[in-house]
């Protein structure tokens, strides 16, 4: 009897050890190996050469909220600007000629897959409008994009970001060394990509536009509010339940913004919210028109 119990105990211990080792190995393969590949890549070197390129200057980070319909963005044509995802639908895209166009939504690439299926409508818009814009994508998709050669390589840059990404609000911190760290998930591309890149490039004053933090939806079937009609948006979007949880008052997205504010202000940087209205109150408000 004692021998049987001891044998079972040893088997359980071996099983637990095997489980932990397997999980550790899987995390290393999924997270650490891609990061090491990025750190030794030309993409990391490109960012290192750009560190503090805009030291002490200002920039504008533009979301896709409905408030953009009430703001004249053409005044940004001589400013350093970051845009995201479907901003290529904006009528003034070519006038503004964004400096950086960031896309981290895996849905636009067809999901976290190696055989990329980049959204054909957005692809056509980017090829037509963004020839002078650096497009920043997750490093996870680099090999697939290289293989398909769908964008000129000189227009592309990559940051370390991929599946199983950790969340800013859970770690209570941000990764801001984009040349050597894996970026974290902030439940919006503004904190996931744009703010870390702006920090690394040295900007002192960062102004947010179109960051309404409000899709204007109350039920699962409601249309979501952007500056464009939702029928123009052809890639998949997060479901209602995810948005309701992530974008709630005090939820993961707002927590990520608050962590970003602390990180920036601790280094003498400032983030201002120049959005016309909206629900984002983490940052000091700025009058967009008065900036010009």
């Amino acid at each position: 009897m004692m021998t049987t119990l001891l044998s079972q105990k040893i088997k359980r211990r071996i099983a637990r050890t095997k489980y932990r080792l397997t999980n550790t190995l899987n995390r290393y393969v999924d997270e650490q190996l891609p990061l090491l590949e990025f750190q030794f890549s030309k993409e990391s070197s490109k960012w290192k050469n750009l560190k503090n390129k805009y030291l002490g200057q200002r920039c504008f980070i533009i979301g896709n909220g409905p408030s953009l319909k009430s703001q004249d963005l053409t005044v940004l044509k001589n400013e350093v600007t970051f845009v995201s995802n479907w901003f290529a639908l904006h009528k003034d895209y070519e006038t503004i000629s964004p400096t950086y166009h960031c896309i981290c939504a895996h849905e636009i690439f067809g999901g976290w897959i190696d055989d990329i299926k980049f959204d054909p409508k957005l692809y056509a818009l980017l090829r037509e409008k963004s020839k002078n814009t650096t497009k920043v994508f997750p490093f996870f998709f680099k090999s697939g994009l290289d293989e398909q050669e769908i964008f000129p390589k000189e227009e592309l840059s990559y940051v370390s970001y991929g599946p199983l990404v950790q969340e800013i609000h859970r770690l209570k911190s941000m990764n801001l060394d984009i040349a050597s760290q894996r970026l974290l998930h902030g439940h919006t591309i503004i904190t996931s990509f744009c703010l870390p890149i702006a920090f690394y490039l040295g900007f002192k004053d960062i102004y947010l536009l179109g960051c309404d933090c409000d899709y204007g939806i109350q039920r699962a079937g409601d249309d979501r509010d952007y500056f464009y009609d939702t029928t123009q948006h052809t890639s998949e979007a997060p479901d209602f339940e995810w948005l309701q949880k992530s974008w709630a008052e005090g939820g993961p997205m707002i927590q990520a913004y608050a962590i970003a504010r602390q990180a920036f202000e601790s280094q003498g940087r400032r983030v201002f919210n120049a959005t016309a209205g909206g629900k984002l109150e983490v940052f000091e408000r700025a009058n967009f028109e008065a900036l010009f």
Side-chain angles (χ1 to χ4, degrees), residues 220-237:
D222 291 346
D223 287 336
R224 301 172 189 190
D225 284 343
Y226 303 97
F227 69 82
Y228 54 87
D229 187 278
T230 53
T231 59
Q232 295 182 273
H233 187 146
T234 52
S235 63
E236 290 187 16

Side-chain angles (χ1 to χ4, degrees), residues 113-238:
I113 56 176
D114 294 324
D115 184 18
I116 293 170
K117 297 177 175 60
F118 199 93
D119 185 277
K121 181 173 182 177
L122 183 55
Y123 169 71
L125 287 168
L126 290 174
R127 288 304 306 267
E128 175 190 353
K129 296 183 174 184
S130 68
K131 294 180 177 63
N132 298 315
T133 297
T134 298
K135 288 165 277 294
V136 186
F137 297 152
F139 187 70
F140 179 88
F141 297 115
K142 184 180 185 303
S143 60
L145 288 167
D146 286 348
E147 183 178 333
Q148 295 185 19
E149 298 182 334
I150 61 175
F151 288 108
K153 290 184 179 180
E154 63 271 13
E155 295 179 9
L156 302 181
S157 286
Y158 298 90
V159 288
S160 182
Y161 190 85
L164 304 179
V165 63
Q166 297 187 68
E167 297 170 293
I168 292 172
H169 78 285
R170 294 189 187 278
L171 296 181
K172 307 298 183 187
S173 64
M174 296 182 75
N175 286 346
L176 296 171
D177 184 357
I178 65 171
S180 61
Q181 292 180 308
R182 200 169 195 245
L183 294 188
L184 304 177
H185 180 39
H187 289 251
T188 170
I189 193 171
I190 307 302
T191 47
S192 297
F193 267 41
C194 301
L195 282 172
I197 295 170
F199 184 94
Y200 190 83
L201 294 177
F203 291 102
K204 183 179 181 182
D205 295 325
I206 298 96
Y207 296 90
L208 306 182
L209 293 165
C211 296
D212 298 55
C213 295
D214 181 13
Y215 278 106
I217 53 177
Q218 302 298 324
R219 296 172 299 278
D222 291 346
D223 287 336
R224 301 172 189 190
D225 284 343
Y226 303 97
F227 69 82
Y228 54 87
D229 187 278
T230 53
T231 59
Q232 295 182 273
H233 187 146
T234 52
S235 63
E236 290 187 16

Side-chain angles (χ1 to χ4, degrees), residues 58-82:
R58 74 177 185 179
C59 70
F60 293 81
I61 296 176
I62 311 171
N64 293 296
S67 61
L68 294 183
K69 291 185 286 189
S70 67
Q71 293 181 301
D72 177 15
L73 301 186
T74 61
V75 295
L76 297 173
K77 63 183 179 181
N78 295 317
E79 301 283 346
V80 179
T81 50
F82 294 77

